Amino acid sequence: MKKKNIPVLIADDKLVLQLYVSGMSPKSMEAIGNIKKICSGLVEDSFKLEIIDLYKHPELASEQQIVFSPSLIKRLPLPKKTLVGTFSDTEKVIRGLGIPIKE
Amino acid sequence: MSQDKIKGLQKSKSGIDGLDEITGGGFPKGRPTLICGSAGCGKTLMGIQFLVRGIIDYNEPGVFMSFEESQKDLNQNVHSMGFDLNKMISQKKLRIDHIVIEKSEIEETGEYDLEGLFIRLNHAIDAIGAKRVVLDTIESLFGGLDNASILRSELRRLFQWLKAKGVTAIITGERGESSLTRQGLEEYVSDCVILLDFRVIDQIATRRLRIVKYRGSTHGTNEYPFLIDETGISVLPITSLKLEHKTSSEILSYGFDDLDKLFDKGGFFRGTSVLITGSAGTSKTTLSSYFALSSCRRNESTLYFSFEESPDQLVRNMMSVGINLKPFIKSKKLFIHSSRSSLQGLEMHLLVLHKLIKELKPRTVIIDPISSLVTVGNSSEVRAMLVRLMDILKVNLINALFTSLTHEKGNDYSDLTVDAVSSLADTWIRVSNDEMNNVRKRNLSIVKSRGMGHSNLVWEFTIDNKGIKIKKSA
């Protein structure tokens, strides 16, 4: 049984997300946990989540224009969007990603 | 990075002409320096110049983090100054990281930090072994995000991090209304704060620079004018006013025998400053040209500042009294710089002069007339400037000649420039026109001549197409 407070999401197009974190900092861990929770409400295969540790790939920070940590980049569907923070506000994250919610 | 022995504050040469003299050696090494000022006052350029000169002159690689301009724009902007950023980037001496924050694309969902920026900066610094870092203008971050308190604490952490990293950093900030920077960055960067200013007084714009604070170091406290030209920024410091300059006992000629004879030693000492005063049409410029001619004949580089005549006009007019300056201009012994005195502020004239002196290394400098500069400044400014100017010339043992236009009937001493210059000048020659029996007579007298005896008579002289002749009997 899924917890009730996690809405069931439908992503029409495949959702491509990249989460940039900085090592195992508390904020990073919290962000990973929160994003996984949100994604668990998505139908499998409808999304792709990549978690990248900036400490291991520092060159990506400049390439991907990362300033804040944690940062979640929605690559697809367009428009591109960047969410920063620990994603504790689930509704804001879902709204920010533009995912319709199935009742 | 940390050293066991307690040393005085180490400094990192700024690469900006004149600034190191004010700061006593440059920016604090391994610490951040804040440069603030209103839009268009030259903050970015100062940052770039710090990096570029660091790379070229001191072999210290640098990182430029731009929050405003792209690499392409930056390169274009500084290309006119002969800085080729792309080349330095390919040599791995310079790194430019352009930080783009699109407010419309960003959503804040909980707590975050600037670790991404830290990682970027760290990566850039380590990649080229950078010793110098510029952050231009970090305050732009505040425009992209709502949560200012996070940014503040993160910026504080950033400056500490920079210190721990041991890089000499410049952080630029836009001038705020009641504080030095809009976001009060001066609270965090406490080691060295420099304020740039761009203001217009009497329709003449001047850039000025002031060191607001410099912890652990003495520094000049005045406002110093600075200039941005094709070679970048140069600051005009007041050189030492200690009167310790060396003197010479070599005797040089004024350019014609008749005048030389009026002095006991038959000329003037090398490095003397000479003042010629007189009303309009008393042949001050002619006397100056003799002075220039004499210098050129000694095969010494000569610099002639003309505020009234263009070089061509001056050369033509002097031909009429038998002084031919043309060959010396051709052989590059004589350089005539003409400009309108109202073209720029007083300090700018001085800066131009300073630069030309550095560039041409003249042995003789002529300023004709110095009084026209008075129209562009107030009296205390003029005086301060003249003191600086004389000082520059004296220190370099350059022969100087100033002419000053005085009013027909007035007392010389009441005249502003005369008042300012006469005490500084070593030799003072006064020329005048006197009407007697329906004839205008030209007179010349020597008011003073430091270090040698001189004639105390008033000498009558004539000018014809062969030049100036002083009559045998006074």
Side-chain angles (χ1 to χ4, degrees), chain A residues 37-53:
Chain A
K37 206 155 71 180
I38 292 164
C39 286
S40 68
L42 289 164
V43 182
E44 222 174 304
D45 289 341
S46 70
F47 72 96
K48 190 181 159 208
L49 174 68
E50 208 183 335
I51 298 170
I52 298 140
D53 184 356

Side-chain angles (χ1 to χ4, degrees), chain B residues 213-228:
Chain B
K213 78 172 175 189
Y214 198 146
R215 195 172 274 177
S217 169
T218 52
H219 60 83
T221 49
N222 295 351
E223 278 193 316
Y224 300 93
F226 71 97
L227 181 73
I228 298 180

Side-chain angles (χ1 to χ4, degrees), chain B residues 229-269:
Chain B
D229 66 4
E230 65 280 1
T231 59
I233 295 181
S234 36
V235 185
L236 186 83
I238 301 180
T239 43
S240 75
L241 294 177
K242 283 188 201 149
L243 293 172
E244 282 173 342
H245 46 264
K246 285 186 192 126
T247 53
S248 167
S249 49
E250 189 185 348
I251 300 290
L252 304 174
S253 163
Y254 282 96
F256 64 113
D257 285 350
D258 286 4
L259 183 57
D260 288 337
K261 277 179 198 156
L262 302 185
F263 295 89
D264 281 3
K265 303 211 168 166
F268 61 92
F269 292 119

Side-chain angles (χ1 to χ4, degrees), chain B residues 346-396:
Chain B
L346 202 52
E347 292 90 350
M348 292 305 122
H349 283 294
L350 191 51
L351 255 175
V352 169
L353 203 117
H354 202 104
K355 285 186 84 95
L356 281 172
I357 289 173
K358 247 189 164 174
E359 203 179 299
L360 303 169
K361 299 199 171 46
R363 307 299 306 144
T364 301
V365 171
I366 295 154
I367 298 174
D368 179 33
I370 205 157
S371 43
S372 63
L373 290 176
V374 180
T375 52
V376 290
N378 62 39
S379 60
S380 65
E381 248 185 306
V382 171
R383 205 190 145 81
M385 164 185 153
L386 293 177
V387 172
R388 284 184 213 178
L389 177 58
M390 296 252 183
D391 206 54
I392 294 165
L393 299 173
K394 271 270 152 68
V395 166
N396 293 302

